[in-house]
Amino acid sequence: MASASLQEAVSVLKSTNVRMTPQRHAILEFLHSSMSHPTADDIYKSLEERFPNMSVATVYNNLRVFKDAGIVKELTYGDSSSRFDCVTSDHYHVICNDCGKIVDFHYPGLDEVETLAEHVTGFDIEDHRMEIYGTCPECTKMSKQ
Amino acid sequence: MASASLQEAVSVLKSTNVRMTPQRHAILEFLHSSMSHPTADDIYKSLEERFPNMSVATVYNNLRVFKDAGIVKELTYGDSSSRFDCVTSDHYHVICNDCGKIVDFHYPGLDEVETLAEHVTGFDIEDHRMEIYGTCPECTKMSKQ
DNA sequence: TCTTTATTTGTAATTCTTATAATCTATTCT
DNA sequence: AGAATAGATTATAAGAATTACAAATAAAGA
C-alpha cells in the first residue's frame, strides 16, 4: 500500500498493461509534487500551459486509471468536486470547515478498527479513511478580529 | 450531539425558528425510520405517493435546514450522490466496495484522535468521521460462485 | 518499420444540486 | 378575526462536475 515515489508509481502502471504517455506522466508528476490535494480541474489548469490541447476527459480518465491501479485515492468531501491524493502511506486528513484547507495527519494504530469491523460485520475489510474537521488557525484568527 | 428520537429532532427545530410542515415531518420521519442511509432522491421517491406535488427542491432545502440544525449529517462517498444520516450517536460506517451497502459500526474512544490533531495542527477540532471499506458477506459469496 | 491496441480529444449528454421567482401557508400584531 | 409579515413550497431553469462516445492519434512490441 505504499508507493512512495513517482518512479514506483510508473512501474506499478507498467506492470499492468497501461501505457505511459506524456499526459499521464505529467498528471502523476503534479500529484506527487503538489502537497495539496488537487481537484481534477486543478490538475487540468496546471497542465494547460504544457499541454494546450489536453482534454478534461483525459484528466478524469487517467485519474480513474490511477485509482484502479491503487496509486491514487479519491477524496470526496462536502464540496462539489473530488480531490485526489497519491497513496504514500497511511495518513488522515484534517480539514478546515471555513476555508477547506486540508492538512495531512499521521496517527498510527487504527488497524485494530479494521479487525474489529471484520468481526462485527462479517465484511472482508480492505481499507479505511478518517477525516477530522475543525477550524484552522488562520480562520480562527480572522473570526476573532 | 445526540438527538435520538424524531420527537427530539422536531423540538430542536422548534427551538430555532424553523416551522414544522407536513413535508418536513415526513422527511424526518423517513430518515428516522429507514435504517439505511438514503440519498435525496430516495427520500423524494419514497414520499412521492403521499406528496404528489412535492418538489425535489423541497427535499434538498430541508436536508440543508436539518444539517444546519445539526440533526442530520451528509455523507459523501465515491458515488455521485450524497447520503443522509440522522445524527443519533457517534458511530462510523462500514461500506461495501461492490454493492455500496452501508452498515453502522460503533467504536468508542477516538476522542484522542481529535486531541492529538489539535496539538499537531493547531486546528480547533469539532468533529471527525471514519469509513471502513471492504466487501460484504453477500458480495463475497457471490464472487466465489 | 508496421501493426495492434490503448489513449487522447472534442463534444454532447447525464446527473446531482442550487438559484430564482411566484405562489401559498403559517404566525404575529392590532 | 383580519391584515401584515415572514417563511416554505413549487416548478423550472441554470450551473457544475463527471461520463459517454466516436474519430483521430500515439505507444509498444514484433
Side-chain angles (χ1 to χ4, degrees), chain B residues 19 22 40 56-57 60 64 74 80-82:
Chain B
R19 294 178 183 167
V56 211
Y60 279 102
R64 181 164 36 186
E74 181 173 1
S80 39
S81 44
S82 289

Side-chain angles (χ1 to χ4, degrees), chain A residues 1 73 75 90-92 107-115 117 125-131, chain B residues 93-94 97 105 110 129-134:
Chain A
M1 258 298 165
K73 265 192 187 171
L75 310 172
D90 284 341
H91 67 271
Y92 306 107
Y107 186 89
L110 285 187
D111 298 339
E112 194 201 333
V113 172
E114 298 196 3
T115 312
I125 302 297
E126 288 158 21
D127 203 7
H128 72 271
R129 58 179 263 204
M130 177 167 61
E131 284 93 41
Chain B
H93 293 115
V94 183
N97 283 326
F105 172 64
L110 285 186
R129 58 179 263 204
M130 178 167 60
E131 284 94 40
I132 301 118
Y133 293 91

Side-chain angles (χ1 to χ4, degrees), chain A residues 14 19-22 40 57 60 64 80-82:
Chain A
K14 279 195 177 156
R19 293 176 185 170
M20 196 43 54
T21 66
Y60 279 103
R64 181 163 35 184
S80 40
S81 43
S82 289

Side-chain angles (χ1 to χ4, degrees), chain A residues 104-141:
Chain A
D104 287 352
F105 172 64
H106 290 268
Y107 186 89
L110 285 187
D111 298 339
E112 194 201 333
V113 172
E114 298 196 3
T115 312
L116 184 61
E118 286 205 332
H119 286 146
V120 172
T121 64
F123 273 53
D124 191 10
I125 302 297
E126 288 158 21
D127 203 7
H128 72 271
R129 58 179 263 204
M130 177 167 61
E131 284 93 41
I132 300 118
Y133 294 91
T135 312
C136 75
E138 289 74 20
C139 287
T140 303
K141 208 182 288 172

Side-chain angles (χ1 to χ4, degrees), chain B residues 110-142:
Chain B
L110 285 186
D111 299 337
E112 195 201 333
V113 172
E114 298 196 3
T115 312
L116 185 62
E118 286 204 334
H119 285 146
V120 172
T121 64
F123 273 53
D124 191 11
I125 302 297
E126 287 159 21
D127 202 8
H128 73 271
R129 58 179 263 204
M130 178 167 60
E131 284 94 40
I132 301 118
Y133 293 91
T135 313
C136 75
E138 288 74 21
C139 288
T140 304
K141 207 182 287 174
M142 291 286 266

